[in-house]
Amino acid sequence: GKEVLGFTPRKEVEVVKVYNEEQDVELYFPPEKYSWLEIKDGQCVLFYPDDAHCAQGHLRDEQHIIKVVFKLPLDACEFCLK
């Protein structure tokens, strides 16, 4: 399916709930301005620790979405920075 993801630099958001290591989550107040991406079948997105991001919902009609999340050490992503 298709999904919309919002993102902004973490320094631009105010923390609502500090990082919880057990749940692996930190929550923020919604920022006034943010960017968004349309993710379609076969696409992927890579967010870094300094990227605050959240799902914004379905793109147009509700669709079945299969989502897989991988958390990698930063040094495993060095190829993306070159």
Side-chain angles (χ1 to χ4, degrees), residues 10 17-28 49 53 69-72:
R10 265 178 67 198
K17 182 179 174 187
V18 295
Y19 180 73
N20 180 311
E21 189 171 340
E22 185 177 307
Q23 295 176 335
D24 194 23
V25 66
E26 183 170 72
L27 300 177
Y28 310 99
H53 60 280
V69 176
F70 296 97
K71 298 210 175 186
L72 305 171

Side-chain angles (χ1 to χ4, degrees), residues 14-54:
E14 184 181 346
V15 175
V16 173
K17 182 179 174 187
V18 295
Y19 180 73
N20 180 311
E21 189 171 340
E22 185 177 307
Q23 295 176 335
D24 194 23
V25 66
E26 183 170 72
L27 300 177
Y28 310 99
F29 286 107
E32 289 185 27
K33 294 175 14 179
Y34 62 91
S35 300
W36 59 278
L37 296 168
E38 291 182 7
I39 307 299
K40 301 174 185 166
D41 290 340
Q43 292 183 321
C44 66
V45 63
L46 176 66
F47 289 112
Y48 286 91
D50 289 337
D51 299 325
H53 60 280
C54 70

